[in-house]
Amino acid sequence: MNKKIQSSSKSYKLDYPPYGPIPELYVSYESAQKLKVEAAELTSHTLTPRQICDLELLMNGGFYPLKGFLSEADYNGVVDDMRLADGRLWPMPITLDVSEGFADAIELGQDIALRDQEGVILATMTVTDRWTPDKAREAEKVFGADDQAHPAVNYLHHEAGKVYLGGPVTGIQTPVHYDFKARRDTPNELRAFFRKVGWRKIVAFQTRNPLHRAHQELTFRAAKEAEANLLIHPVVGMTKPGDVDHFTRVRCYEAVLDKYPASTTSMSLLNLAMRMAGPREAVWHGLIRRNHGCTHIIIGRDHAGPGKNSQGDDFYGPYDAQDLFNAHKEEIGIEMVDFKHMVYVQERAQYEPADEIADKDKVTILNISGTELRRRLAEGLEIPEWFSFPEVVTELRKTKPPRAKQGFTVFFTGFSGSGKSTIANALMMKLMEMGGRPVTLLDGDLVRKNLSSELGFSKEHRDLNIRRIGYVASEITKNGGIAICAPIAPYATTRRAVREDIEAFGAFVEVHIATTIEECERRDRKGLYKLARAGKIKEFTGISDPYDVPQTPELRLETEGTDVDNCAHQVVLKLEQMGLISGAW
């Protein structure tokens, strides 16, 4: 008998058995071969990494009941009420955002080919809707605030296309994954596995972080409480900027998997692009896990929270996610298992739920926060065995060696003529004198000549130039080198994007050269300010185009009345203070 999903206005039946296959959007192999040839003649859209994650889960049934990217009516219902136009529960807008130019070239009813970033056609889509969304409204409704401290809101305003396209998708082939292939399962593959081994109750553990001993105890207790088998189901698509990369995390998971009983525990990877949307994300995760055949899911305190907002407060309350999930649990179709805050009781040498310790005043309670763990890794300090498994610590240290051995980027920003290039060059010489790591200077003029010679000075081209500098710096940082960047970089949003790219691999040290525009104009060695005042240079930073003054740089340098050597030395002192350089290297 089919399971019913209750809505506020209607009663829906799932059109697949609880333990049977879930509908997919793929055509047969034979039809796919024919469709590939036909799709080659269609107008193509190259998908972003986030869109590829979304498309994969659309096609394999992970986003059931969606049959494609949301129509405008579905989008409005989801944003306003967490409901599709037909009333079914769905909390997250799954939209195909494109540029205005691409959208203008598309007719409603037209089929387009959806390609990955190597040009492989993954699907076709019939465009039924095209609209320009109110992104501020989307941010307020979905994420709780139009606050760009939220990574998804920042993405919405600064990376997503301005126009949304909606319409059904026809799947041709799944995106190719060359990593951890044996660990990747579609919803139907997981459902078939559960049927084969006879699992009827499965609790999913959603995680984007490495597993430590507290997580192990938590998952053991959750499975025992639900009398269920355990599916460790980590996200390996897109998570929060700054998170540990998924390669390291999966190695950590595999290192501790043998700590779990093999007969009642399994692990599968989920290629999901998280939005960090807190309460709505919790509901979304529940629906996705239901589609993968799970009957329970662990929902934690501040589930999928992005951290602090612009005022320094948490975006969501600690139990908001659990409350919203409970309010819709009948429609979600799976049960919630509360995430318990586990702490280590030294006298009993075991983990216990913090709110269940009756003798708190008589025992020693130990806990290490995520911030403290990162500090210990960065400084090469001991991580006790009561907190984490040695195998996990070994893997984390491979990716996160002590800060004095990591690559990093020093990013100078300031007006033209402020002294960025001169100070950057002096810093390079000081770091090269110390030795230990390769040092590369990415000066604005040098990059213009060798990497961006075809670009002009429009806002779009200046942004692209800075993103190129950021990409090269991130590669240098990733490979353990030091990148010194010295562009003007006038826009805060672009600097933030570069910071996020680099902080995935190492430290980003923003240095604001705070020379006044008057002093820069007085120096004007290149005669640029004179030309800008005469109107011969358009969109010149500080004259006819704005400069977003950094609000919280790691270091702000006042150069007037200070010699270059002293300025460069102040940067060296800051790097020492941050632990990025030391006498040992």
Side-chain angles (χ1 to χ4, degrees):
M1 184 166 62
N2 287 349
K3 184 176 180 180
K4 290 187 177 182
I5 298 293
Q6 296 296 321
S7 169
S8 60
S9 57
K10 299 179 181 179
S11 177
Y12 293 95
K13 284 187 177 181
L14 297 178
D15 51 9
Y16 60 88
Y19 305 109
I22 193 169
E24 297 182 347
L25 302 182
Y26 292 109
V27 295
S28 67
Y29 176 81
E30 293 75 14
S31 296
Q33 301 314 302
K34 180 182 177 184
L35 194 53
K36 276 185 191 177
V37 176
E38 296 172 352
E41 304 299 320
L42 299 176
T43 299
S44 293
H45 171 68
T46 300
L47 298 161
T48 65
R50 186 165 99 168
Q51 291 169 349
I52 292 173
C53 290
D54 287 350
L55 178 64
E56 179 172 356
L57 287 165
L58 282 170
M59 294 190 297
N60 68 21
F63 282 174
Y64 180 85
L66 304 190
K67 292 183 169 59
F69 291 98
L70 296 185
S71 67
E72 186 174 7
D74 282 331
Y75 166 82
N76 287 328
V78 167
V79 168
D80 290 337
D81 302 311
M82 298 203 311
R83 296 196 178 276
L84 301 170
D86 65 9
R88 280 185 286 188
L89 182 70
W90 189 264
M92 198 63 56
I94 305 298
T95 53
L96 187 68
D97 56 278
V98 300
S99 67
E100 291 174 298
F102 183 85
D104 289 342
I106 300 299
E107 299 290 336
L108 294 184
Q110 180 177 343
D111 288 344
I112 61 174
L114 302 178
R115 297 178 183 263
D116 69 14
Q117 297 190 317
E118 294 182 353
V120 177
I121 299 174
L122 303 178
T124 62
M125 171 181 165
T126 302
V127 180
T128 59
D129 293 75
R130 176 182 58 220
W131 74 100
T132 301
D134 180 346
K135 291 187 176 182
R137 166 176 160 262
E138 181 177 337
E140 287 280 356
K141 293 282 191 176
V142 177
F143 304 107
D146 189 17
D147 184 341
Q148 294 182 35
H150 194 298
V153 175
N154 183 66
Y155 181 96
L156 188 65
H157 286 299
H158 300 295
E159 296 189 51
K162 292 186 176 181
V163 181
Y164 289 173
L165 302 181
V169 161
T170 301
I172 296 176
Q173 61 185 22
T174 186
V176 176
H177 300 288
Y178 297 105
D179 58 319
F180 307 113
K181 292 175 74 76
R183 295 288 187 190
R184 295 178 182 269
D185 302 288
T186 68
N188 279 328
E189 286 169 342
L190 269 183
R191 285 168 167 268
F193 169 74
F194 296 151
R195 290 196 300 272
K196 182 178 180 180
V197 297
W199 289 8
R200 287 293 178 264
K201 295 176 73 175
I202 304 100
V203 57
F205 180 51
Q206 149 79 33
T207 180
R208 66 177 219 275
N209 294 310
L211 291 181
H212 301 296
R213 290 187 184 273
H215 299 114
Q216 183 197 41
E217 184 62 29
L218 163 74
T219 52
F220 277 159
R221 285 173 175 261
K224 184 177 180 180
E225 178 182 320
E227 299 180 339
N229 300 283
L230 176 66
L231 175 67
I232 301 173
H233 208 202
V235 171
V236 296
M238 298 174 69
T239 59
K240 182 183 175 184
D243 280 353
V244 175
D245 68 274
H246 83 267
F247 300 102
T248 301
R249 288 189 287 112
V250 175
R251 291 197 301 271
C252 289
Y253 301 140
E254 291 184 331
V256 301
L257 200 57
D258 62 0
K259 313 287 185 188
Y260 290 85
S263 60
T264 59
T265 305
S266 186
M267 183 175 81
S268 181
L269 309 182
L270 180 65
N271 196 44
L272 175 71
M274 289 183 67
R275 271 56 164 185
M276 309 306 299
R280 281 193 180 223
E281 185 113 5
V283 173
W284 192 38
H285 289 170
L287 292 168
I288 292 168
R289 274 25 184 260
R290 180 201 71 194
N291 291 338
H292 281 77
C294 298
T295 57
H296 297 70
I297 183 173
I298 301 170
I299 300 294
R301 291 177 76 256
D302 194 26
H303 184 94
K308 304 293 185 183
N309 61 21
S310 296
Q311 286 72 49
D313 301 320
D314 290 335
F315 269 96
Y316 311 113
Y319 301 105
D320 288 355
Q322 294 179 357
D323 291 343
L324 189 65
F325 193 103
N326 267 328
H328 295 279
K329 64 181 181 181
E330 295 300 322
E331 288 183 86
I332 296 169
I334 68 175
E335 294 290 326
M336 179 182 77
V337 180
D338 292 351
F339 186 112
K340 293 179 172 60
H341 180 48
M342 307 297 296
V343 293
Y344 187 75
V345 180
Q346 189 173 37
E347 286 78 4
R348 293 192 278 271
Q350 66 183 19
Y351 275 91
E352 299 177 16
D355 59 358
E356 295 179 14
I357 302 174
D359 54 349
K360 288 181 181 179
D361 298 334
K362 300 177 182 178
V363 296
T364 306
I365 296 174
L366 302 175
N367 190 30
I368 292 179
S369 67
T371 300
E372 174 63 13
L373 172 63
R374 288 189 289 273
R375 186 187 74 84
R376 290 182 180 228
L377 286 170
E379 297 180 16
L381 301 177
E382 178 195 5
I383 297 172
E385 282 201 36
W386 63 260
F387 175 76
S388 193
F389 303 98
E391 302 93 328
V392 171
V393 175
T394 298
E395 290 297 337
L396 290 175
R397 290 202 190 280
K398 289 179 185 177
T399 304
K400 296 287 185 183
R403 289 197 106 187
K405 295 183 179 180
Q406 292 179 19
F408 64 89
T409 292
V410 180
F411 193 93
F412 291 94
T413 175
F415 292 121
S416 176
S418 61
K420 300 183 304 299
S421 297
T422 308
I423 298 169
N425 191 64
L427 174 65
M428 179 178 69
M429 296 303 169
K430 289 179 180 293
L431 293 175
M432 290 179 73
E433 179 185 345
M434 293 179 185
R437 281 173 283 192
V439 185
T440 303
L441 175 62
L442 299 171
D443 179 68
D445 290 340
L446 290 174
V447 170
R448 279 279 179 181
K449 179 181 178 181
N450 296 296
L451 190 64
S452 300
S453 59
E454 86 286 7
L455 298 182
F457 290 89
S458 66
K459 182 182 187 302
E460 181 183 3
H461 278 195
R462 280 182 286 173
D463 272 351
L464 180 56
N465 182 53
I466 301 304
R467 293 305 295 265
R468 288 180 181 179
I469 291 173
Y471 171 75
V472 175
S474 72
E475 289 296 305
I476 293 168
T477 300
K478 178 171 68 174
N479 288 287
I482 300 172
I484 302 174
C485 308
I488 295 173
Y491 308 122
T493 54
T494 311
R495 295 195 301 264
R496 171 176 170 157
V498 170
R499 177 185 286 273
E500 289 180 354
D501 290 344
I502 290 168
E503 285 186 337
F505 307 111
F508 179 90
V509 184
E510 184 177 42
V511 181
H512 176 215
I513 306 300
T515 311
T516 64
I517 192 72
E518 293 78 16
E519 175 63 15
C520 293
E521 194 164 0
R522 187 188 64 77
R523 297 173 183 177
D524 201 13
R525 290 182 296 175
K526 301 176 184 178
L528 298 177
Y529 284 92
K530 185 177 180 180
L531 293 171
R533 292 291 186 190
K536 295 180 180 179
I537 299 180
K538 307 296 183 184
E539 298 181 306
F540 190 84
T541 300
I543 302 298
S544 53
D545 201 62
Y547 176 80
D548 298 334
V549 176
Q551 298 302 304
T552 55
E554 277 70 19
L555 181 64
R556 201 183 305 275
L557 290 177
E558 306 287 346
T559 65
E560 297 171 48
T562 307
D563 63 40
V564 170
D565 190 70
N566 181 265
C567 288
H569 189 63
Q570 288 185 58
V571 181
V572 171
L573 291 174
K574 171 55 75 171
L575 297 177
E576 287 182 345
Q577 179 192 27
M578 296 176 68
L580 294 168
I581 60 175
S582 67
W585 73 279

